[in-house]
Amino acid sequence: MSVLTDLIYGGSNAVAGLTEGAVNDAIAKYGADKEIAFPDTAYFFPTIYAATGVKVKTLGDLPACVGVLKSLITGQEDLGQALNAGLATAVGAEILEGLKYVNGGNPYENESGIGFVPDPIIRSLGVPLVTGDIPGVAVVLGKAENPADVVKVVKDYQSKGIMTFLVGDVIEQCAEGGVKMGLELRVIPLGHDVTSVIHVVTVAIRAALIFGNVQPGNLAGLLDYTKTRVPAFVNTFGAIDAVVVSAGAGAIALGFPVVVDIDLGENQVPGALESVCDHNDTVKKSLELRNIKIKVKELPIPVAFAAAFEGEIIRKADMHNEFWSSKNPTAELTVMRDLSEVEDHKITIIGPDLTDAKDLALATFVEVAGKKMQVDFESVIERKFHAWFNYMEGVMHTGQRNQVRVRRQASE
């Protein structure tokens, strides 16, 4: 285990030194009374606030936090102590990211990531996390040796409704591989610096404060909540250095297992840090480690189909076809039939090929039969058309019944 702990301590010491230097430079430049804050949050520096109860409001509050950070790095040949050093790395990452906001504004404005995730977004995620509509949270970081590997993994998570955060060059690799990104699509690029991984950590931490009633300063309660109530995990792609290992130790301390795609040999920690070199097994292993069970019915259709695509917006400039009641007749109807009148799974398409036509009329007519089917259920099923259309990648549906607009995105 010495190789692993040496890497963790090496990474945490490197982050501690960088953090201390950055804090001293900021105070020298702006003064200790300079206010500092992440945008749109009531939780100050969330990791520090949740773990210690300290409210970081000015640069002058940070040197004491650096002292706490350094005290967690004991250098002892013990996995538990090494994981504490990983928590120190998380604190350092939060401070370094926080310093990016010292002048206000959005330091990620010209970046491919979003940086800090505001409180309102976390509150909007609360219900789907509790109900299981978002069954898990994946953190994917690094740079894949073969871009197609990370693209396949992220698309698999997306199809299963997993909320996926990207850190590092995997952002560009996924974008170039056709992965659609955005909060509404459940694939969120955070940033390129490994320290930006703290922004998904603070999502979990604020979930504990907002939904778990964990009190600031209750570190044990915080760690218990993130481990048992936040089904998150980490996947790394490509070579890992000491800082990445130390950040991974912080994730493990929070209860988030880490799956790497390089062979760690005897340095693996079963259930917490494991090697999966075959990317065909990455998703399966990651979900198993968090006991996430997802039943996905494979549909024989030529497009991806998942709840993750429900928020997809198709602009007029990007569409290939449009079915709109203001231009042509539209209708959505469900009718109850006797069992003898229905052929299960039979689909009949009447009309021209969508490849050629642009603006068309559209009627969606569904006949339903079943022992428990009732006439009252017809309108309920009709309301589901909206979700079913929107679950298709590249399709946007609004309205209902005879007031409908459906857009299909042009193929790339």
Side-chain angles (χ1 to χ4, degrees):
M1 196 66 69
S2 60
V3 175
L4 179 59
T5 54
D6 286 348
L7 281 171
I8 294 172
Y9 284 127
S12 58
N13 277 314
V15 172
L18 186 62
T19 304
E20 186 171 33
V23 168
N24 291 338
D25 290 346
I27 291 175
K29 182 176 181 179
Y30 299 107
D33 294 332
K34 174 72 173 179
E35 293 185 353
I36 186 170
F38 285 110
D40 298 322
T41 182
Y43 299 96
F44 310 96
F45 279 39
T47 306
I48 295 171
Y49 180 56
T52 68
V54 173
K55 301 176 180 179
V56 174
K57 297 180 179 180
T58 67
L59 290 176
D61 295 326
L62 291 176
C65 298
V66 173
V68 173
L69 178 164
K70 293 169 70 175
S71 72
L72 292 171
I73 308 172
T74 65
Q76 296 179 23
E77 185 59 34
D78 175 80
L79 184 58
Q81 292 293 317
L83 293 182
N84 284 339
L87 290 175
T89 299
V91 172
E94 180 168 73
I95 293 172
L96 290 170
E97 286 293 311
L99 290 172
K100 294 180 180 180
Y101 293 86
V102 70
N103 282 322
N106 180 12
Y108 282 86
E109 186 174 4
N110 298 317
E111 298 276 339
S112 52
I114 67 169
F116 187 79
V117 181
D119 288 356
I121 291 179
I122 294 174
R123 288 191 172 90
S124 72
L125 297 177
V127 172
L129 276 169
V130 170
T131 60
D133 184 47
I134 298 177
V137 178
V139 181
V140 178
L141 62 88
K143 181 179 181 180
E145 183 176 335
N146 179 5
D149 291 333
V150 70
V151 169
K152 180 180 179 181
V153 166
V154 171
K155 283 189 173 182
D156 197 350
Y157 286 141
Q158 192 175 46
S159 71
K160 290 177 168 58
I162 300 289
M163 180 71 72
T164 306
F165 293 91
L166 306 179
V167 177
D169 289 338
V170 293
I171 296 173
E172 278 71 33
Q173 290 182 319
C174 286
E176 292 170 2
V179 177
K180 295 180 179 180
M181 302 182 192
L183 180 67
E184 71 281 1
L185 297 172
R186 299 187 184 177
V187 177
I188 303 99
L190 291 177
H192 285 86
D193 295 338
V194 68
T195 52
S196 63
V197 75
I198 193 63
H199 298 310
V200 68
V201 172
T202 69
V203 169
I205 286 173
R206 281 176 286 163
L209 297 173
I210 296 170
F211 306 113
N213 197 31
V214 175
Q215 298 304 305
N218 181 3
L219 179 58
L222 171 68
L223 297 180
D224 179 69
Y225 186 92
T226 55
K227 180 178 181 179
T228 60
R229 301 294 299 278
V230 182
F233 53 88
V234 179
N235 294 158
T236 72
F237 283 80
I240 53 177
D241 58 22
V243 173
V244 172
V245 173
S246 186
I252 293 170
L254 290 164
F256 308 155
V258 178
V259 174
V260 303
D261 67 350
I262 61 174
D263 187 2
L264 293 176
E266 62 182 13
N267 291 301
Q268 297 184 68
V269 181
L273 176 63
E274 299 197 19
S275 296
V276 176
C277 298
D278 185 346
H279 295 103
N280 292 318
D281 298 327
T282 299
V283 173
K284 181 174 181 286
K285 184 62 175 181
S286 299
L287 298 182
E288 284 178 355
L289 289 174
R290 286 319 309 257
N291 196 32
I292 299 172
K293 298 178 181 179
I294 301 174
K295 293 182 179 179
V296 178
K297 182 177 178 60
E298 297 294 333
L299 299 176
I301 56 178
V303 293
F305 185 87
F309 299 112
E310 188 174 10
E312 188 176 10
I313 296 175
I314 297 176
R315 308 294 181 187
K316 187 173 183 179
D318 299 324
M319 74 181 189
H320 181 74
N321 306 95
E322 183 174 55
F323 311 89
W324 187 16
S325 57
S326 293
K327 292 183 178 181
N328 295 291
T330 63
E332 295 176 342
L333 179 65
T334 298
V335 175
M336 179 180 170
R337 298 296 193 198
D338 186 84
L339 277 169
S340 62
E341 299 178 279
V342 172
E343 182 179 341
D344 199 16
H345 295 156
K346 181 181 179 181
I347 299 175
T348 303
I349 301 174
I350 302 172
D353 193 302
L354 300 186
T355 303
D356 303 318
K358 296 295 182 182
D359 297 317
L360 297 167
L362 177 66
T364 306
F365 177 54
V366 177
E367 297 175 296
V368 181
K371 292 181 179 179
K372 296 184 179 180
M373 181 63 188
Q374 301 177 28
V375 173
D376 293 347
F377 297 163
E378 292 177 342
S379 61
V380 176
I381 294 173
E382 286 170 4
R383 296 298 191 276
K384 295 294 289 183
F385 288 179
H386 175 72
W388 292 333
F389 270 97
N390 282 320
Y391 283 2
M392 289 186 283
E393 182 180 16
V395 175
M396 182 184 77
H397 178 285
T398 59
Q400 61 183 355
R401 291 187 170 175
N402 67 335
Q403 297 293 318
V404 173
R405 173 183 284 186
V406 179
R407 283 181 174 178
R408 171 176 169 256
Q409 188 173 25
S411 300
E412 297 182 359

